[in-house]
Amino acid sequence: MEFAEHIKTANVEDVVLRQPLQPPSRGTLCITGHHLLFSDREESDSRQVLLLLRNIDATEKSVENLTGYSGFFSNASHSERMSGSSGTITMKCKDLRVLQLDIPGMEQCLNIAHSIETLSCLDCVSEMYPFFYRPVELSLPEQWGLSSPEMHYSQMKELYEKWRLSTVNRDYSVCSSYPPAVIVPKSIDDDTLKKAAKFRQGGRFPVLCYYHKKNGMVIMRSSQPLLGANRKRCKEDELLLQAVIEGSDKGYIIDTRSRQQAQQARMTGGGFESKSFYSRWKRFHRPMERGKALQESLIKLVEACGDESNNMDRWLSKLENSKWLSHVQNALSTAGLLVECVERDGHSVLVHGSEGTDCSLLISTLAQLIMDPCCRTVEGFLGLLEREWIQARHPFQQRCAHSAYSHARLQQESPVFLLLMDCVWQLWRQFPLALGFSEALLLRLATEVYASDYGTFLCNSDQERCALGVKERTHCLFQALLRPTQRDYYSNPLYERTELAIWPSVHPQSLQLWKGYFLRWTQQVRHLEEAQEEIRNMVIEWGKLACS
Amino acid sequence: RSQISVPVFMFFLSFYYCDNGLSSLKMELLSDVSLLPGEERITDKDIIYICPFSGAVKGKVLITNYRLYFRSSDADVTVTLDVPLGAISRVEKMGGASSRGENSYGLDITCKDMRNLRFALKQEGHSRRDIFEVLFRYAFPLSHGLPLFAYLGQEKYAENGWTIYKPIEEFRRQGLPNNKWRISFINKSYDLCDTYPTVLAVPYKSKEEDLRKVAAFRSRARIPVLSWIHRENQAVIVRCSQPLVGMSGKRNKDDERYLDLIREANDTTKLTIYDARPNVNAVANKATGGGYEGDEYQNAELIFLDIQNIHVMRESQKKLKDIVYPNVEESHWLSSLESTHWLEHVKLVLSGAIQVADKVSSGNSVVVHCSDGWDRTAQLTSLAMLMLDSHYRTLRGFQVLIEKEWISFGHKFASRIGHGDKNHADQDRSPIFVQFIDCVWQMTKQFPTAFEFNEHLLLTILDHLYSCRFGTFLYNCESVRDQHEVRSKTVSLWSLVNSKVDMYLNPFYTPESGRVLYPVASMRHLELWVAYYIRWNPRIRQQQQSPVEQRYKELLALRDEYLKKLEQLQLSDSSTSSHLANSPTPNTTSSSTSTPSQQYTHLQTPL
């Protein structure tokens, strides 16, 4: 497909751009296959705005066919082609920015709007910008990503005794959403895994995602077992789980659905691990909101944040009604339960919901941050995200197709990853010294997940990524973030490693709206960002001189 | 260094406190409680503390003439309480001789600092009566003809905090007197206005007899006087009480002329009068002889700031306490918080101050008043001054601001707080000063590098607002303070603070002299000050403060090291940076006299 066929008007002069935190400016608008480019030629300090079209969540247009167009500037020398008509396009972005373009000429305006609408939601992954992003200073990486399951395993010597790396999924035939190599109990052979996989939705059989060095306990992840209405069982699955808790008296299962939901799932072929066949496993149900409910919560929150009306009396009620903070609370407290099982109670835990690709990842990631100091550095955190979200597969393409502004009918969108970033921010706020990265890193990730120059968040699984050549033809965001200048920028100057678990307080009083994200386009948050930046530079400067 | 975090999940393990571990738990233990110089033990008793978080805890209570101290004797729960008696507003007996049920017989103590304490006692003997009487007597000494503890304490500090604020020096710092403003001693024996300080700044052209005439037309003779002047544009903040207009709409030519003198002083075209009250309240005040400036004040405009009165604030704080202590409202936290209206009041106070500051920084003089000019007026002038003048954002400057706008101008601390007074239901009580400190906290959150002091200072101030350990917040005004010889017989809170400044410094402070701080007073950007209002709840606490404080101290040391090296470099290279070599040592703690112009973070290190 040619992008050109969607671009009837590529350049427009005399466009007025209005954006948050800046005065309106007049200049030239240019549409390319992936970008909207605005150059302000008015002032001596010319500004450019380069916006990835993918970032645009929704557009609204209004055209006026009036004689005597009067935009923000009344400039008498407007060209004749305007012929008295004009239009306005409001672009609501996935990073929550709202931009407005005043375009002279109704037809041009409609053309531009059409291009934006079409090009901002192309479905074809291989036409997306990461495949075209070729910064001059960078060549495509030899190895894509920070690590691989193989490397991860080889570095974890303490695993060798009881755990092995299985390549049963090397051609993605056992489980299309798992990476080619996974860590499983040593005593379980590949045939058993294959059979166990048939008993789990999407083939996501239980695999190791975290090993707690302090006591040798582990976190396992899977999807739901496929009991069905007639309560099937699977010896191999039972064996696999039995092997996990070999040498211990019991294990825990945290099911991210309510008991009722889990029971109802049997009607559609799913279910939960029953007491009779998994007698040494104790099950907890911690219902977590997912899917559509979470997306709607985000929409309500963003709506409340963007409410410009002066009547702010009801702000707190609106914030409460969005339920976003209660999702944050729920995620953190479920993660806390998981940590409590592993760290305090000293038992291994299996986590799953239905598919095991959303809430399971969310709480296993949070639990690792809470427990393991190695996950709290910039490298450690990005490595954790890569293992849990990229390799173990969160369907980013489906979940992040649209954000809070879109008018499109909701399909599989759900801001699970954004919720994770928010939860991590809450940890960061409650433990200002314990995390090695800054709020800026969380903001960057929360933005990149919706629209990016990099291939990291493309596709729905490792298999798709390989099939489309993402690893050969795009740059990796995590690698980019670890380049020295970037890494410095995203590090927390106050960081001081602690070996202890960082238990978050999950009371509503202890949780805050993540203003840095949700109110990021306000002057006040911008000031705070600047102050953070200032503090960072200050501390670095002191350190340098004191060491000199 | 240990970094213990408070456990919040009560899933497997029962909740426990992680205090210092279980040190000496013998019952003689209370002999090791360290007391203040001048503090005396009155009594101790076996008692059960009904802790709202960990249930009934057996232990021993010690009551001195300053504090109530409790320590648990159970081996498995360590609970200590250390409450200055000054923080107690009410002591009640609960349960009677016929009370059944465990721990239903004892004492109920209501505190001013957002908590209640409940103790259970044995019904035998007169143990309750004794302890009740001791508490009642020493918590409310003024109601029993006893002195406040501040008069009994014998603390010694390296610094004398009473010298922090010298009115003439402060006026001089502001550039006064000048050819438009003069210093008047008309009130030197408090006979013009008994709630004002002795030294006042008034328009140069006004005569002493004018001041007397104006005093007759202002509630409680609180005439318009200068609080602050803008160095560049000479615009001023003037404070006063309401004019005594009354139902008949009286006029007073002298008052009108006097306000016009204020306007003239820097050629402001229209003097803006900010009346802190809601319009309707100002109108209602006419019925009791008060009112507001009408059209007869030519060249003046009147703006109402819609801030509610002390009674509304008291009720709001009470509602807030209801949702945070002892049990924190969980299920509908945000809407419950909204229904207290506390943040809304904070918003209105802040946005009023922003308007004042904005007017002044754009060159227009303003007059601020409410009814009597000692509550809302003090909030508005002091917050506006904090926004306009970076000196007040230093550790010492902030002390000056409080001494000046609150203490010397007669904010009625005694009436609002009720120091040593048993009358807990007094209608004069109100958390006006707490609300001011809350507003300051909101500003420090929004501008993390603009304040030299930290949150710990604000908490310390509020603790000693009630404690009666220092003389700083005692009594209603200067004249009464003089009568009670506060300065000679008590210690100032600033003595404590300035003797260990490290505790109260913000390592990230960056002096910026010219900058006006405009906080955002939108509900979206305000937060509940959890670290103050919910600090008694062990489950809400965040990462333990000790490692954070420790790290901040290290950073302070690092900063000092940095400044020292920077100075050495500048001395050795004075040709290129002579202006810096001339500036005083950038020791920010002694900035009371130096202008904070040394902006070290803006310098590029020549390394």
Side-chain angles (χ1 to χ4, degrees):
Chain A
M1 184 191 71
E2 286 293 320
F3 299 122
E5 71 189 56
H6 297 296
I7 305 173
K8 284 196 195 123
T9 302
N11 285 290
V12 193
E13 301 283 341
D14 238 354
V15 174
V16 175
L17 172 73
R18 297 161 207 272
Q19 52 180 334
L21 306 171
Q22 271 163 26
S25 52
R26 186 185 291 281
T28 307
L29 177 73
C30 175
I31 297 281
T32 72
H34 295 108
H35 287 102
L36 178 155
L37 175 68
F38 178 86
S39 342
D40 165 4
R41 294 208 189 123
E42 219 170 27
E43 305 290 322
S44 49
D45 56 330
S46 81
R47 270 179 306 183
Q48 283 208 336
V49 175
L50 182 67
L51 182 73
L52 210 50
L53 290 172
R54 187 85 197 155
N55 192 352
I56 298 171
D57 205 25
T59 50
E60 284 156 22
K61 55 180 183 281
S62 66
V63 284
E64 275 177 56
N65 205 350
L66 294 171
T67 46
Y69 159 77
S70 66
F72 188 80
F73 301 95
S74 51
N75 189 337
S77 67
H78 280 170
S79 54
E80 54 281 9
R81 63 179 174 171
M82 269 166 36
S83 63
S85 68
S86 74
T88 295
I89 303 175
T90 305
M91 299 175 293
K92 298 185 170 178
C93 299
K94 293 168 183 169
D95 61 11
L96 307 185
R97 196 168 12 161
V98 178
L99 304 166
Q100 195 184 309
L101 295 168
D102 296 341
I103 298 172
M106 186 169 73
E107 195 188 329
Q108 295 185 84
C109 177
L110 291 175
N111 286 346
I112 296 283
H114 176 75
S115 300
I116 294 174
E117 278 158 23
T118 318
L119 293 168
S120 64
C121 44
L122 294 176
D123 289 328
C124 178
V125 175
S126 58
E127 284 171 1
M128 289 181 184
Y129 186 62
F131 287 93
F132 299 84
Y133 175 60
R134 295 289 178 270
V136 274
E137 72 279 11
L138 278 182
S139 52
L140 285 167
E142 304 226 324
Q143 180 224 325
W144 193 87
L146 305 179
S147 181
S148 64
E150 290 87 349
M151 281 164 66
H152 182 60
Y153 178 78
S154 70
Q155 285 157 4
M156 298 274 291
K157 301 226 160 34
E158 52 282 349
L159 286 177
Y160 294 179
E161 190 192 338
K162 286 185 167 172
W163 300 85
R164 70 183 183 93
L165 191 73
S166 164
T167 52
V168 64
N169 196 40
R170 70 186 80 80
D171 53 0
Y172 303 104
S173 60
V174 178
C175 171
S176 63
S177 63
Y178 272 172
V182 291
I183 302 170
V184 294
K186 207 165 201 171
S187 57
I188 301 298
D189 61 25
D190 283 357
D191 280 342
T192 313
L193 294 178
K194 279 183 194 160
K195 286 176 184 149
K198 291 213 169 70
F199 186 63
R200 294 275 170 177
Q201 181 171 357
R204 291 175 73 92
F205 57 90
V207 295
L208 178 132
C209 78
Y210 173 68
Y211 180 87
H212 195 49
K213 289 177 190 162
K214 285 180 198 152
N215 60 13
M217 294 301 133
V218 300
I219 300 176
M220 306 286 292
R221 231 189 308 99
S222 72
S223 60
Q224 65 176 341
L226 300 172
L227 267 76
N230 43 15
R231 295 174 191 275
K232 269 188 302 199
R233 62 186 286 193
C234 171
K235 280 271 187 242
E236 289 77 11
D237 190 70
E238 290 162 28
L239 265 175
L240 170 53
L241 285 183
Q242 186 59 41
V244 170
I245 49 171
E246 204 56 62
S248 167
D249 59 330
K250 64 178 169 191
Y252 295 107
I253 296 171
I254 295 178
D255 192 325
T256 60
R257 303 164 296 177
S258 69
R259 185 174 298 274
Q260 197 188 8
Q261 282 168 334
Q263 246 147 16
Q264 275 168 358
R266 294 218 328 268
M267 298 306 134
T268 49
F272 52 88
E273 294 80 358
S274 68
K275 199 75 212 156
S276 36
F277 306 142
Y278 300 84
S279 58
R280 287 169 65 198
W281 288 85
K282 181 166 168 39
R283 204 176 64 247
F284 302 114
H285 291 278
R286 284 290 179 279
M288 292 176 70
E289 214 60 81
R290 64 199 83 207
K292 210 171 169 181
L294 205 55
Q295 183 72 16
E296 277 164 1
S297 169
L298 175 70
I299 292 170
K300 274 193 195 162
L301 175 63
V302 170
E303 204 176 276
C305 290
D307 186 355
E308 293 293 333
S309 65
N310 284 325
N311 181 16
M312 286 308 299
D313 305 344
R314 307 281 295 151
W315 160 247
L316 291 172
S317 295
K318 282 182 191 160
L319 182 56
E320 179 174 288
N321 287 338
S322 79
K323 294 208 174 77
W324 181 260
L325 283 172
S326 60
H327 299 317
V328 169
Q329 179 191 29
N330 198 8
L332 280 170
S333 63
T334 308
L337 171 67
L338 173 52
V339 177
E340 192 151 20
C341 293
V342 175
E343 156 112 4
R344 284 240 179 91
D345 196 59
H347 286 96
S348 292
V349 185
L350 168 68
V351 184
H352 69 73
S354 334
E355 296 173 341
T357 56
D358 294 291
C359 293
S360 311
L361 306 182
L362 177 61
I363 69 164
S364 74
T365 307
L366 287 172
Q368 292 177 57
L369 263 179
I370 293 171
M371 265 189 291
D372 185 1
C374 300
C375 296
R376 302 188 203 131
T377 61
V378 178
E379 292 82 1
F381 180 58
L382 295 177
L384 173 67
L385 293 181
E386 185 177 75
R387 286 196 302 279
E388 294 293 283
W389 294 78
I390 307 298
Q391 291 167 3
R393 190 252 190 196
H394 174 67
F396 282 105
Q397 200 189 335
Q398 290 172 352
R399 298 292 182 260
C400 302
H402 286 289
S403 176
Y405 289 126
S406 173
H407 306 299
R409 201 167 57 84
L410 286 185
Q411 292 176 320
Q412 305 210 49
E413 290 83 1
S414 186
V416 189
F417 188 78
L418 181 60
L419 183 61
L420 172 75
M421 292 299 112
D422 196 330
C423 292
V424 177
W425 178 80
Q426 307 282 347
L427 279 173
W428 181 83
R429 202 184 68 86
Q430 292 189 19
F431 297 88
L433 313 181
L435 300 176
F437 47 87
S438 65
E439 177 176 14
L441 180 66
L442 302 175
L443 282 169
R444 174 89 190 261
L445 291 168
T447 308
E448 295 274 347
V449 74
Y450 282 102
S452 177
D453 294 346
Y454 299 90
T456 302
F457 295 122
L458 290 180
C459 303
N460 287 314
S461 70
D462 201 51
Q463 185 186 21
E464 279 181 35
R465 246 170 252 128
C466 290
L468 290 168
V470 168
K471 295 181 183 184
E472 291 80 37
R473 294 169 50 207
T474 76
H475 287 282
C476 167
L477 173 65
F478 295 160
Q479 286 173 333
L481 293 176
L482 287 178
R483 259 179 257 128
T485 49
Q486 296 273 299
R487 199 206 165 285
D488 282 353
Y489 180 74
Y490 290 116
S491 60
N492 172 8
L494 304 181
Y495 174 59
E496 199 172 58
R497 185 180 164 115
T498 169
E499 296 304 314
L500 294 161
I502 50 170
W503 296 92
S505 167
V506 297
H507 296 269
Q509 296 75 20
S510 306
L511 303 175
Q512 290 281 335
L513 175 71
W514 185 14
K515 295 197 191 111
Y517 184 79
F518 292 106
L519 299 175
R520 68 198 295 189
W521 302 106
T522 62
Q523 198 62 52
Q524 189 47 39
V525 168
R526 191 47 54 93
H527 282 321
L528 273 177
E529 271 174 31
E530 284 162 10
Q532 292 296 346
E533 176 73 15
E534 202 179 323
I535 289 174
R536 214 176 56 82
N537 292 336
M538 232 185 272
V539 174
I540 290 169
E541 192 81 340
W542 300 341
K544 261 197 242 160
L545 198 74
C547 294
S548 69
Chain B
R1 174 179 320 155
S2 70
Q3 191 171 13
I4 308 156
S5 50
V6 178
V8 284
F9 302 95
M10 283 164 288
F11 181 63
F12 291 109
L13 307 169
S14 63
F15 178 78
Y16 61 86
Y17 284 91
C18 30
D19 274 0
N20 320 318
L22 314 170
S23 47
S24 58
L25 283 168
K26 300 175 195 92
M27 279 317 288
E28 310 79 66
L29 74 187
L30 293 186
S31 58
D32 65 339
V33 177
S34 64
L35 303 184
L36 296 170
E39 186 178 357
E40 281 169 18
R41 292 166 176 269
I42 309 294
T43 184
D44 55 19
K45 270 206 161 51
D46 290 329
I47 207 163
I48 296 166
Y49 168 50
I50 317 288
C51 175
F53 312 108
S54 46
V57 186
K58 275 190 196 141
K60 197 156 193 163
V61 70
L62 164 69
I63 293 168
T64 72
N65 53 357
Y66 173 68
R67 79 183 82 206
L68 178 157
Y69 188 93
F70 170 86
R71 193 186 287 159
S72 58
S73 54
D74 294 2
D76 51 337
V77 207
T78 311
V79 178
T80 54
L81 287 174
D82 190 353
V83 186
L85 297 181
I88 294 175
S89 67
R90 180 183 197 179
V91 185
E92 276 185 312
K93 295 173 182 166
M94 68 170 183
S98 58
S99 292
R100 297 278 172 271
E102 215 182 340
N103 301 331
S104 61
Y105 180 83
L107 292 174
D108 227 338
I109 298 172
T110 311
C111 295
K112 296 168 182 172
D113 59 0
M114 305 294 282
R115 61 179 157 169
N116 299 329
L117 306 170
R118 184 171 264 220
F119 293 100
L121 288 146
K122 294 199 189 78
Q123 266 154 303
E124 305 89 66
H126 294 298
S127 62
R128 183 172 75 171
R129 197 187 63 197
D130 296 347
I131 199 163
F132 176 81
E133 278 171 6
V134 167
L135 267 181
F136 206 71
R137 196 174 160 82
Y138 288 95
F140 311 122
L142 293 188
S143 304
H144 294 87
L146 295 170
L148 290 162
F149 179 75
Y151 286 88
L152 304 170
Q154 290 156 19
E155 291 177 79
K156 298 273 181 289
Y157 290 100
E159 277 227 24
N160 178 6
W162 291 123
T163 62
I164 192 77
Y165 173 54
K166 297 187 180 118
I168 302 280
E169 243 174 52
E170 168 59 17
F171 280 133
R172 209 169 285 148
R173 186 191 69 85
Q174 293 188 17
L176 298 176
N178 59 18
N179 59 1
K180 300 289 184 187
W181 295 88
R182 64 185 179 90
I183 308 294
S184 166
F185 297 94
I186 188 172
N187 200 37
K188 66 175 183 301
S189 47
Y190 304 108
D191 53 4
L192 177 80
C193 172
D194 61 353
T195 58
Y196 260 10
T198 52
V199 181
L200 303 170
V202 295
Y204 192 83
K205 286 186 181 164
S206 66
K207 302 198 182 65
E208 302 290 82
E209 66 256 36
D210 296 337
L211 301 180
R212 292 195 191 280
K213 286 178 194 153
V214 172
F217 192 62
R218 290 278 163 180
S219 174
R220 298 174 201 268
R222 294 172 66 92
I223 60 167
V225 294
L226 180 144
S227 273
W228 191 78
I229 184 163
H230 193 289
R231 263 181 187 280
E232 277 83 49
N233 64 34
Q234 298 289 300
V236 296
I237 300 178
V238 164
R239 62 182 291 172
C240 59
S241 61
Q242 64 182 339
L244 299 174
V245 175
M247 289 299 268
S248 56
K250 269 186 297 219
R251 286 181 60 169
N252 182 309
K253 290 276 185 203
D254 298 299
D255 193 72
E256 289 163 30
R257 205 174 311 121
Y258 183 78
L259 286 196
D260 211 46
L261 286 179
I262 294 169
R263 182 192 62 78
E264 260 178 36
N266 82 327
D267 294 327
T268 295
T269 42
K270 229 178 174 69
L271 181 70
T272 307
I273 303 169
Y274 287 103
D275 188 327
R277 301 166 292 184
N279 194 345
V280 284
N281 297 29
V283 173
N285 263 296
K286 286 188 171 180
T288 50
Y292 53 89
E293 293 81 357
D295 295 336
E296 64 274 17
Y297 289 82
Q298 286 164 7
N299 305 324
E301 57 171 346
L302 182 70
I303 295 172
F304 293 103
L305 293 177
D306 274 330
I307 302 168
Q308 300 292 336
N309 63 25
I310 59 167
H311 310 291
V312 174
M313 300 309 180
R314 180 178 60 240
E315 290 315 305
S316 174
Q317 196 201 30
K318 206 182 213 167
K319 282 188 196 154
L320 181 60
K321 183 172 177 177
D322 286 344
I323 62 165
V324 301
Y325 196 94
N327 296 309
V328 170
E329 166 62 48
E330 288 277 336
S331 52
H332 294 286
W333 164 246
L334 292 172
S335 46
S336 307
L337 178 60
E338 186 169 271
S339 66
T340 68
H341 298 292
W342 182 258
L343 287 176
E344 219 178 298
H345 296 314
V346 167
K347 180 190 87 169
L348 282 167
V349 173
L350 269 176
S351 64
I354 292 167
Q355 292 177 56
V356 173
D358 189 43
K359 205 41 122 189
V360 171
S361 75
S362 60
N364 299 290
S365 290
V366 304
V367 172
V368 182
H369 72 72
C370 45
S371 303
D372 289 316
W374 51 41
D375 292 308
R376 288 167 278 197
T377 299
Q379 290 180 326
L380 290 169
T381 57
S382 56
L383 286 169
M385 287 157 73
L386 200 58
M387 292 169 197
L388 289 163
D389 189 340
S390 61
H391 173 63
Y392 298 124
R393 307 197 283 258
T394 64
L395 182 64
R396 283 158 191 272
F398 189 60
Q399 297 166 18
V400 170
L401 183 70
I402 290 176
E403 285 284 344
K404 176 172 152 59
E405 289 305 296
W406 290 85
I407 297 170
S408 85
F409 271 101
H411 172 66
K412 303 205 294 175
F413 281 103
S415 305
R416 297 290 174 258
I417 308 300
H419 295 124
D421 182 356
K422 68 176 181 181
N423 193 359
H424 61 84
D426 194 309
Q427 290 299 301
D428 257 350
R429 306 279 180 269
S430 189
I432 300 301
F433 186 74
V434 176
Q435 194 171 52
F436 159 70
I437 295 290
D438 191 331
C439 292
V440 176
W441 179 81
Q442 304 283 353
M443 286 180 68
T444 64
K445 289 302 272 189
Q446 295 193 13
F447 300 97
T449 60
F451 292 83
E452 192 191 15
F453 52 87
N454 60 18
E455 184 179 42
H456 187 62
L457 177 77
L458 301 180
L459 292 168
T460 305
I461 288 172
L462 290 186
D463 280 343
H464 294 298
L465 173 64
Y466 304 120
S467 78
C468 297
R469 177 171 153 194
F470 300 100
T472 303
F473 297 117
L474 300 183
Y475 303 111
N476 280 338
C477 55
E478 295 288 46
S479 60
V480 181
R481 244 167 251 129
D482 283 0
Q483 276 166 36
H484 289 90
E485 300 168 273
V486 170
R487 280 163 179 263
S488 56
K489 291 189 168 168
T490 73
V491 176
S492 161
L493 168 60
W494 315 128
S495 302
L496 169 93
V497 170
N498 296 333
S499 298
K500 42 175 181 175
V501 289
D502 269 15
M503 306 263 299
Y504 306 105
L505 291 179
N506 168 16
F508 311 120
Y509 172 56
T510 312
E512 281 183 281
S513 54
R515 185 171 170 210
V516 182
L517 295 189
Y518 291 115
V520 173
S522 135
M523 287 296 282
R524 268 181 275 214
H525 293 278
L526 299 179
E527 285 173 25
L528 183 72
W529 189 9
V530 171
Y532 179 67
Y533 299 110
I534 322 188
R535 63 179 161 158
W536 308 121
N537 190 324
R539 290 163 205 172
I540 307 291
R541 270 187 235 152
Q542 305 193 340
Q543 179 171 21
Q544 277 226 327
Q545 282 305 298
S546 48
V548 179
E549 275 166 17
Q550 185 59 37
R551 178 85 172 113
Y552 278 30
K553 271 188 198 153
E554 284 170 16
L555 288 171
L556 275 174
L558 198 61
R559 188 188 70 173
D560 288 349
E561 181 78 358
Y562 172 81
L563 292 174
K564 218 182 280 168
K565 286 203 180 177
L566 197 62
E567 199 189 13
Q568 282 163 9
L569 284 166
Q570 280 151 5
L571 283 172
S572 64
D573 189 21
S574 54
S575 57
T576 53
S577 56
S578 53
H579 64 288
L580 274 157
N582 294 334
S583 71
T585 314
N587 178 353
T588 47
T589 63
S590 64
S591 53
S592 57
T593 49
S594 67
T595 51
S597 59
Q598 54 275 30
Q599 303 184 14
Y600 50 83
T601 52
H602 294 174
L603 299 167
Q604 290 304 308
T605 328
L607 284 180

